[in-house]
């Protein structure tokens, strides 16, 4: 009898607990419990109380992400000038009979490839059907391209410079075809297959900001295109060329947030911009250029900002000097990479330059121009400087010499980094 009462009591308690779990009072029928359980399970399958009947677009709009500020980190290098000692050492290091330029670029490759966008002035043409050649009429082996693109990560190459016609009109045409056919994703500027190609402004969208890239040279070493050639070399030496340049810049600005111009100008081995450089810089920035990357002098020149006619802040690096070279003078071995950031701080605001800095570089070679390689100055040492081959002509070459040169030409503010106020 006692066992029966205990069993009965446990059964009642279990039934009460199960019913309570579904919010049903003890004493309600089994049918009531089943109906409530079905209703509860149906409710749990709904999107949310009060939202099941909302239009689909209303629900999805609540899931949209909040807009965040956009930012793009860019790096621009100077003249990539491939002398014979450089390509000869690349041939000696190759394991397959080609040219291995790893050693030349390996100390700066990680830094360059880490940027969102990297640009360089490719001073020497690549004409695969002809043998490599050096000054005064350069030609670089085609293997160079895979190191510029694959190792260094360059996205944009300016081809408009005083050596672009070193291999004649046919050589320049072959060079253009080489880049287009083998590296179609790389943007090349300043030299174009024809007028239609020039009108196809090179643009690139990165992190929601659109850039246009242009190129220009005021020098061709006295050489000119064949009269029957369709190739177009961007210049601004005549009134007609200047008007064409103005229209090109205005079109580029209409297509993008930021216009970047690589320009070959000035006097070789001069640390001071000419009046023509300053005049052209003002015109181009007023027309719509936001950042000017200067080349040709083979030495550094000042970097400055200026206010344009429409109130923008434009950046002008008059010359970044050499990126790679085997030149004989100490001041030609100190160059720089322009490190800058473009941002859009508000969803409907304008994209603009927000910071910039010059990262100095040193081109190093041993005695007899051997073992040529590039260093960031921050990685360069007294020991390396003491072993530099240039000391045979410049015994004072060393870190104090380099620091003094940089301070005099560029100034500490640019070397330490400038942040622009909104």
């Amino acid at each position: 009898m006692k066992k029966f009462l205990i069993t009965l009591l446990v059964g009642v308690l279990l039934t009460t607990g199960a019913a309570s779990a579904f919010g049903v009072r003890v004493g309600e029928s089994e049918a009531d419990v089943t109906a409530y359980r079905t209703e509860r399970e149906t409710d749990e399958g709904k999107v949310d109380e009060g939202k099941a009947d909302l239009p689909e677009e209303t629900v999805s709009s609540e899931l949209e992400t909040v807009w965040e500020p956009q930012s793009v980190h860019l790096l621009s290098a100077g003249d990539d000038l491939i002398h014979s000692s450089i390509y000869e050492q690349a041939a000696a290091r190759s394991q397959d009979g080609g040219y291995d330029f790893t050693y030349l670029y390996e100390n700066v490759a990680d830094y360059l490839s880490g940027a969102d966008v990297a640009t360089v002035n490719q001073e020497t043409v690549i004409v695969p059907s002809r043998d490599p050649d050096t000054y005064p009429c350069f030609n670089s082996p085609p293997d160079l391209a895979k190191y510029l693109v694959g190792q260094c990560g360059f996205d944009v190459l300016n081809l408009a410079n005083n050596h672009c016609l070193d291999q004649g009109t046919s050589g320049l045409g072959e060079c253009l075809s080489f880049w287009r056919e083998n590296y179609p994703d790389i943007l090349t500027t300043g030299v174009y297959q024809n007028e239609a190609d020039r009108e196809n402004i090179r643009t690139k969208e990165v992190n929601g900001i659109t850039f246009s890239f242009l190129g220009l040279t005021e020098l061709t070493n006295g050489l000119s295109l064949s009269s029957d050639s369709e190739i177009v070399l961007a210049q601004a030496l005549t009134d007609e060329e200047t008007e064409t340049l103005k229209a090109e810049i205005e079109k580029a600005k209409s297509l993008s947030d930021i216009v970047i111009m690589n320009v070959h100008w000035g006097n070789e081995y001069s640390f001071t911009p000419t009046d023509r450089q300053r005049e052209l810089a003002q015109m181009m920035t007023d027309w719509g250029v936001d950042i000017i990357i200067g080349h040709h002098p083979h030495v550094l020149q000042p970097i400055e900002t200026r206010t344009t006619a429409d109130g923008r802040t434009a950046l002008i690096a008059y010359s970044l000097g050499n990126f790679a070279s085997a030149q004989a003078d100490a001041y030609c071995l100190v160059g720089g990479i322009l490190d800058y950031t473009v941002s859009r701080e508000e969803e409907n605001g304008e994209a603009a330059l927000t910071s910039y800095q010059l990262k100095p570089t040193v081109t190093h070679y041993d005695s007899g121009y051997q073992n040529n390689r590039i260093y960031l100055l921050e990685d360069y040492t007294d020991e390396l400087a003491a072993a530099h081959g240039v000391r045979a002509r410049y015994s004072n070459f060393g870190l104090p010499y380099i620091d003094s040169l940089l301070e005099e030409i560029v100034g500490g503010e640019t070397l330490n980094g400038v942040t622009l106020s909104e």
Side-chain angles (χ1 to χ4, degrees), residues 167 300 351 377 393-394 403:
Q167 297 296 314
L300 286 169
L377 177 59
R393 300 183 67 223
Y394 294 84
D403 291 339

Side-chain angles (χ1 to χ4, degrees), residues 29-55:
S29 67
E30 182 177 345
D32 292 332
V33 172
T34 301
Y36 186 82
R37 180 184 290 121
T38 302
E39 180 183 357
R40 180 63 177 268
E41 290 173 347
T42 302
D43 284 344
E44 290 176 349
K46 293 180 180 179
V47 174
D48 194 6
E49 189 67 32
K51 292 185 179 180
D53 297 328
L54 292 176

Side-chain angles (χ1 to χ4, degrees), residues 385-403:
H388 201 302
V390 79
R391 286 175 65 89
R393 300 183 67 223
Y394 294 84
S395 60
N396 65 332
F397 183 83
L399 293 181
Y401 169 86
I402 295 170
D403 291 339

Side-chain angles (χ1 to χ4, degrees), residues 30 45 84 87 89 105-106 118 181-182 190 261 308 333 343 365:
E30 182 177 345
S84 58
Y87 63 70
Q89 76 178 23
Y105 300 118
E106 63 184 356
E181 293 169 5
N182 295 281
M261 170 69 78
T308 65
L333 305 175
S343 304
Y365 49 76

Side-chain angles (χ1 to χ4, degrees), residues 234-253:
Q235 295 185 276
L237 301 177
T238 67
D239 290 343
E240 182 179 358
E241 289 173 338
T242 303
E243 284 302 311
T244 299
L245 176 65
K246 180 176 183 289
E248 180 182 46
I249 291 171
E250 290 174 344
K251 179 179 180 180
K253 191 62 176 176

Side-chain angles (χ1 to χ4, degrees), residues 297-319:
H298 300 300
V299 295
L300 286 169
Q301 290 185 350
I303 297 173
E304 65 182 29
T305 58
R306 64 174 59 194
T307 302
T308 65
D310 59 358
R312 293 174 294 111
T313 296
L315 178 67
I316 302 100
Y318 285 101
S319 173

Side-chain angles (χ1 to χ4, degrees), residues 44 115 284 295:
E44 290 176 349
M284 291 194 298
H295 309 286

Side-chain angles (χ1 to χ4, degrees), residues 174-330:
E174 187 177 340
C175 178
L176 291 174
S177 297
F178 168 80
W179 284 109
R180 185 181 68 252
E181 293 169 5
N182 295 281
Y183 298 91
D185 294 333
I186 300 302
L187 305 182
T188 59
T189 64
V191 186
Y192 308 97
Q193 293 281 356
N194 47 46
E195 289 290 350
D197 187 28
R198 183 178 185 178
E199 291 176 5
N200 179 26
I201 304 293
R202 276 52 170 168
T203 62
K204 186 177 184 68
E205 182 179 337
V206 186
N207 299 341
I209 299 176
T210 302
F211 296 83
S212 288
F213 297 93
L214 305 174
L216 171 74
T217 183
E218 293 216 296
L219 310 125
T220 58
N221 291 349
L223 303 173
S224 58
L225 291 162
S226 300
S227 58
D228 60 347
S229 175
E230 291 188 346
I231 294 175
V232 176
L233 180 58
Q235 295 185 276
L237 301 177
T238 67
D239 290 343
E240 182 179 358
E241 289 173 338
T242 303
E243 284 302 311
T244 299
L245 176 65
K246 180 176 183 289
E248 180 182 46
I249 291 171
E250 290 174 344
K251 179 179 180 180
K253 191 62 176 176
S254 73
L255 296 173
S256 60
D257 300 297
I258 298 292
V259 178
I260 297 177
M261 170 69 78
N262 281 271
V263 55
H264 226 72
W265 57 2
N267 295 328
E268 288 185 322
Y269 316 116
S270 172
F271 303 115
T272 305
T274 64
D275 291 342
R276 171 60 177 169
Q277 283 175 271
R278 295 186 183 279
E279 176 189 20
L280 187 56
Q282 186 66 65
M283 288 192 297
M284 291 194 298
T285 54
D286 283 344
W287 294 337
V289 172
D290 296 283
I291 296 153
I292 294 176
I293 310 297
H295 309 286
H296 178 64
H298 300 300
V299 295
L300 286 169
Q301 290 185 350
I303 297 173
E304 65 182 29
T305 58
R306 64 174 59 194
T307 302
T308 65
D310 59 358
R312 293 174 294 111
T313 296
L315 178 67
I316 302 100
Y318 285 101
S319 173
L320 294 177
N322 289 327
F323 176 55
S325 78
Q327 291 197 296
D329 294 309

